[in-house]
Amino acid sequence: MSALLESYAGGTWFRATDEGKPLLDAATGEEVARISSTGLDLSAMVEHARNVGGPALRALTFHERAGLLKAVAKQLGTDKDELYALSARTGATLRDSQVDIDGGIGTVFSYASKGTRELPNDTIVLDGATEQLSRSGSFVGQHVYTSRPGVAVQINAFNFPVWGMLEKLAPAFLAGLPSIVKPASQTAYLTELVFRRIIESGLLPEGSVQLLCGSPDGLLDQLGAQDSVAFTGSASTGATLRQHPSVLYGGVQLGVEADSLNCSILGPDVTSEDPELDLFVKGVVTEMTVKAGQKCTAIRRTIVPATIADDVVRAISARLAKISVGNPVNPDVRMGALASLAQRDEVRKAVQSLRGSAEIVFGDPDHVDVVDGDAEVGAFMSPILLRASAGAREPHDVEAFGPVSTVLTYDSLDEAIALAARGQGSLVGSLVTHDPSVARTVTLGLAPWHGRLLVLDRDDADESTGHGSPLPVLVHGGPGRAGGGEELGGIRGVLHHMQRTAIQASPDMLTAITGQWTKGSQQHVDDVHPFRKSLAELRIGDTIRSDPRTVTLADIEHFAEFTGDTFYAHTDAEAAAANPLFGGIVAHGYLVVSLAAGLFVDPDPGPVLANFGVDNLRFLTPVKADDTIAVTLTVKQITPRNTADYGEVRWDAVVTNSEDAPVATYDVLTLVAKTLA
Ligand code: NAP
């Protein structure tokens, strides 16, 4: 008997008290492992996450969490051969395994990097600008995101045992939420191996990640209003979860990523001679055959102009004929097996339903020539292309979760858009066209029904990541039938896990709460110029108020001549006088900002290492010749870098004129040494 998969719960590996259910190799039918969660204390797992994992995670800043994710991704990158070998037993070819394993590790790297670059080295995130709520400015509002003291339960589908786990885990971890991962039983042996390697690395705080192999029955009963469930799987399981009392009445947040009848549309502009036709055909065949079509993003509906449909069907069929099906470990095999014989039965049943309104134009669902394998014991299946009759209903309703796609035809763009919409909401759609007006019309028609859209043509094809690849930086999820959920999308995927709260307070209180200087709160001026202070010495609110300086006409003329910016408002008195906004010669905005730098800078070598930009620059009041300006510079945010001996300081800069009216506002961004040399 093969090994029983273990769960990782409460800081130890748990073995079920029974023999468990066998899990079979998709290609050979041999037993790979057994699975059961009998005897596992789910309530204790949830408590461990809440009481041990959550507090440990929330004690770390976003940057510290991001650093741990990066270390985990690096560690997993060293173990890939054993992962590929086990992945083959799910029916995956090497290319399929790379999508799952390398894609999953890449997603963790991406979150590690985004967490460091786009989140503060803190435990609170500000959302948008401060809102002034009173006339004098003593009462202001600020939206913030904070971590929930709950647990994130992640229920995954069988088709991506590695990526599926990691793409959910990484954003939740960054958000400060401990995770309980529940892999789909069918391929849980691969998830368990990756999880084991993560635990063995010892990198992650205890309780921040736990693994549940086997039935999750009763798990949702343990959850409450600060907890969430992220589910990926079939629409029917999604519907069951939506009706769970903890979701209906207990405030548990449920995200659903369900099945999706994704489409790819060939634009009406494309002729048989255009490179776009080949791109379209390649895309359809790739999506039908990668992971044997067991991808939530695969192209199920191939929508083409009626005038070119015969050519398209011929071209797709010719390519499909070259796909060798068989044992995924054989390097000559292009498409491996479905995950199980039961899964193949499901796909055959779905093809039978599709045949209600479509005819098979390529492949036989009951027969395939198998390379290096036996079609009786392995879950092998031929790719199947169908062509729908006019008005067909089934292609818009039935998901065949395998190497299956149906060609539908249209006569007008409106009809193409209407056909796409009949899928009732999809994860992804693609449009292959080289006509910008087709691109705009179809995109505006399709976008409300989709989470992601790919517009493909000869210009982006070489570097395109393709129709079916969710990317960590882009949103994954779709409306309606696709579940209505949203994952990934860069930092959006982290913020989904956090609570947004509007805080109303005085500026001083907001500064204390957020750790960032709020306009109107205290400013500290002392004898030491802030540019002489190291990161360790600087305090939020440290301020320098410069001496005034008069901007002369000679300054403006000199700047115009020196830079070549001789725009008439700075050089031609008569023309400038006619300008409705200026009414005469004004200083260049960049001259004002440059002079301001000259007013606040402390020139000698010191802890300030570099100025790396300005944010939010606005010119508010024109500066005329002989106006006097001064600048106030205040430390707004201090972000030490965990991996360097310096950090970032964001300074609030306000340039005012002699009437104390602001003429320019912006944030100055500098790098400052942590300690004095
Ligand atoms: P599934 O049968 O719905 O199972 C999905 C997950 O839910 C598995 O981990 C399963 O565990 C678990 N589960 C089943 N019943 C449950 C219950 N009552 N309570 C809690 N968890 C339960 O789906 P599947 O067959 O694995 O996956 C194929 C489907 O997923 C396809 O329809 C595909 O389109 C969809 N999918 C969607 C996406 C997306 O991102 N939108 C991605 C991949 C797949 P067990 O395995 O232990 O039963």
Side-chain angles (χ1 to χ4, degrees):
M1 200 160 48
S2 62
L4 186 62
L5 298 182
E6 293 181 320
S7 294
Y8 187 74
T12 53
W13 288 97
F14 167 86
R15 257 180 103 74
T17 50
D18 59 6
E19 288 183 351
K21 192 177 75 175
L23 304 174
L24 306 184
D25 185 305
T28 65
E30 290 162 13
E31 193 172 299
V32 182
R34 302 181 75 84
I35 189 164
S36 169
S37 61
T38 303
L40 183 57
D41 186 344
L42 300 179
S43 163
M45 280 180 94
V46 170
E47 287 309 310
H48 189 66
R50 284 195 191 128
N51 299 331
V52 179
L57 262 182
R58 292 192 298 278
L60 304 174
T61 66
F62 293 111
H63 288 196
E64 288 166 333
R65 294 172 210 160
L68 294 179
L69 285 180
K70 186 173 177 184
V72 164
K74 271 191 185 161
Q75 179 63 40
L76 290 178
T78 61
D79 291 334
K80 282 197 291 194
D81 284 348
E82 64 166 348
L83 302 182
Y84 291 151
L86 197 55
S87 175
R89 309 204 71 177
T90 71
T93 61
L94 181 60
R95 184 170 70 143
D96 296 339
S97 299
Q98 285 167 339
V99 172
D100 186 29
I101 295 164
D102 296 51
I105 295 172
T107 299
V108 181
F109 269 124
S110 174
Y111 269 96
S113 153
K114 283 216 161 250
T116 307
R117 281 186 287 115
E118 297 177 29
L119 289 171
N121 199 358
D122 201 334
T123 54
I124 186 170
V125 182
L126 271 56
D127 176 40
T130 309
E131 297 287 343
Q132 183 148 338
L133 303 176
S134 69
R135 204 176 306 156
S136 80
S138 69
F139 185 55
V140 291
Q142 173 71 55
H143 291 92
V144 301
Y145 285 99
T146 53
S147 299
R148 297 187 175 119
V151 52
V153 170
Q154 293 147 11
I155 303 176
N156 295 319
F158 69 81
N159 56 342
F160 285 109
V162 183
W163 178 84
M165 164 170 72
L166 296 177
E167 66 96 13
K168 284 185 165 60
L169 194 79
F173 187 90
L174 258 188
L177 262 188
S179 295
I180 295 178
V181 177
K182 147 71 187 123
S185 295
Q186 181 58 49
T187 53
Y189 47 86
L190 180 54
T191 313
E192 193 236 31
L193 179 61
V194 175
F195 200 94
R196 200 173 274 281
R197 296 293 172 256
I198 293 174
I199 295 302
E200 284 168 358
S201 75
L203 289 162
L204 301 189
E206 177 45 45
S208 60
V209 292
Q210 297 181 85
L211 179 72
L212 193 178
C213 287
S215 166
D217 279 357
L219 179 59
L220 265 68
D221 301 337
Q222 309 299 325
L223 304 182
Q226 289 291 316
D227 305 321
S228 60
V229 176
F231 166 77
T232 297
S234 62
S236 65
T237 309
T240 306
L241 296 178
R242 283 189 209 280
Q243 290 160 39
H244 193 283
S246 295
V247 175
L248 283 177
Y249 312 113
V252 171
Q253 296 181 44
L254 173 67
V256 174
E257 299 285 335
D259 59 21
S260 174
L261 295 167
N262 314 291
C263 69
S264 184
I265 298 180
L266 182 66
D269 53 297
V270 178
T271 69
S272 301
E273 280 73 51
D274 286 326
E276 279 73 21
L277 182 65
D278 199 38
L279 294 173
F280 180 80
V281 168
K282 267 191 201 154
V284 171
V285 171
T286 299
E287 293 304 318
M288 287 177 71
T289 55
V290 170
K291 291 288 290 182
Q294 300 168 111
K295 277 170 59 183
C296 52
T297 51
I299 298 169
R300 305 283 174 219
R301 298 177 300 150
T302 300
I303 301 178
V304 302
T307 48
I308 203 175
D310 290 343
D311 288 355
V312 174
V313 167
R314 255 194 308 276
I316 296 175
S317 300
R319 261 187 186 270
L320 288 175
K322 294 185 194 149
I323 301 289
S324 47
V325 177
N327 192 331
V329 294
N330 185 319
D332 295 332
V333 163
R334 290 280 306 281
M335 188 172 97
L338 298 178
S340 65
L341 292 174
Q343 199 56 35
R344 185 175 68 179
D345 286 346
E346 289 294 314
V347 178
R348 284 178 174 164
K349 262 192 247 162
V351 170
Q352 197 51 33
S353 301
L354 289 169
R355 290 175 84 174
S357 59
E359 56 161 341
I360 293 180
V361 289
F362 182 90
D364 176 347
D366 300 317
H367 176 78
V368 63
D369 291 331
V370 176
V371 179
D372 206 2
D374 181 343
E376 295 304 312
V377 292
F380 300 107
M381 186 171 180
S382 163
I384 305 290
L385 186 70
L386 298 106
R387 183 165 178 174
S389 47
R393 180 179 56 82
E394 285 81 359
H396 308 293
D397 285 344
V398 178
E399 184 199 38
F401 200 59
V404 182
S405 190
T406 303
V407 176
L408 299 121
T409 58
Y410 71 86
D411 292 319
S412 69
L413 267 194
D414 283 349
E415 191 186 355
I417 293 167
L419 283 173
R422 286 189 64 188
Q424 294 299 314
S426 299
L427 293 169
V428 55
S430 54
L431 167 68
V432 183
T433 180
H434 196 48
D435 180 333
S437 71
V438 169
R440 180 174 162 89
T441 303
V442 175
T443 299
L444 294 190
L446 256 52
W449 296 99
H450 289 83
R452 178 166 63 83
L453 286 175
L454 164 70
V455 181
L456 190 67
D457 69 357
R458 64 196 75 176
D459 294 337
D460 63 357
D462 279 354
E463 294 188 308
S464 163
T465 48
H467 167 106
S469 304
L471 300 177
V473 295
L474 299 184
V475 159
H476 175 62
R481 177 175 178 141
E486 202 181 84
E487 291 179 343
L488 301 177
I491 294 305
R492 290 176 193 85
V494 178
L495 300 179
H496 287 321
H497 291 287
M498 303 182 75
Q499 180 61 43
R500 179 162 52 192
T501 307
I503 311 285
Q504 296 167 277
S506 71
D508 279 338
M509 282 301 183
L510 262 192
T511 295
I513 291 164
T514 63
Q516 292 192 33
W517 185 79
T518 307
K519 188 176 160 59
S521 67
Q522 281 184 27
Q523 294 167 300
H524 318 289
V525 181
D526 61 31
D527 295 341
V528 184
H529 190 291
F531 276 29
R532 304 247 58 85
K533 294 182 184 177
S534 69
L535 211 64
E537 294 164 323
L538 272 177
R539 293 288 169 263
I540 296 292
D542 278 356
T543 295
I544 171 169
R545 293 200 177 89
S546 79
D547 292 334
R549 170 183 175 139
T550 300
V551 184
T552 65
L553 187 60
D555 288 334
I556 299 171
E557 287 170 353
H558 174 68
F559 193 78
E561 189 188 334
F562 176 56
T563 63
D565 179 353
T566 53
F567 186 62
Y568 75 88
H570 315 304
T571 51
D572 181 337
E574 200 178 319
N579 180 300
L581 300 177
F582 301 139
I585 294 271
V586 292
H588 308 66
Y590 300 123
L591 171 58
V592 171
V593 169
S594 302
L595 293 176
L599 290 172
F600 66 62
V601 85
D602 184 84
D604 292 334
V608 177
L609 305 174
N611 169 358
F612 70 98
V614 294
D615 273 354
N616 311 320
L617 174 60
R618 286 289 177 280
F619 301 122
L620 302 171
T621 312
V623 174
K624 300 227 165 122
D626 296 329
D627 273 359
T628 298
I629 60 168
V631 58
T632 302
L633 199 68
T634 305
V635 176
K636 191 173 187 176
Q637 186 182 16
I638 302 172
T639 309
R641 284 200 188 168
N642 288 347
T643 51
D645 50 10
Y646 56 84
E648 285 140 36
V649 179
R650 177 180 288 266
W651 308 76
D652 179 85
V654 181
V655 183
T656 47
N657 61 20
S658 53
E659 287 159 16
D660 220 19
V663 301
T665 57
Y666 49 103
D667 289 353
V668 177
L669 310 172
T670 59
L671 298 177
V672 178
K674 284 182 175 169
T675 52
L676 294 177

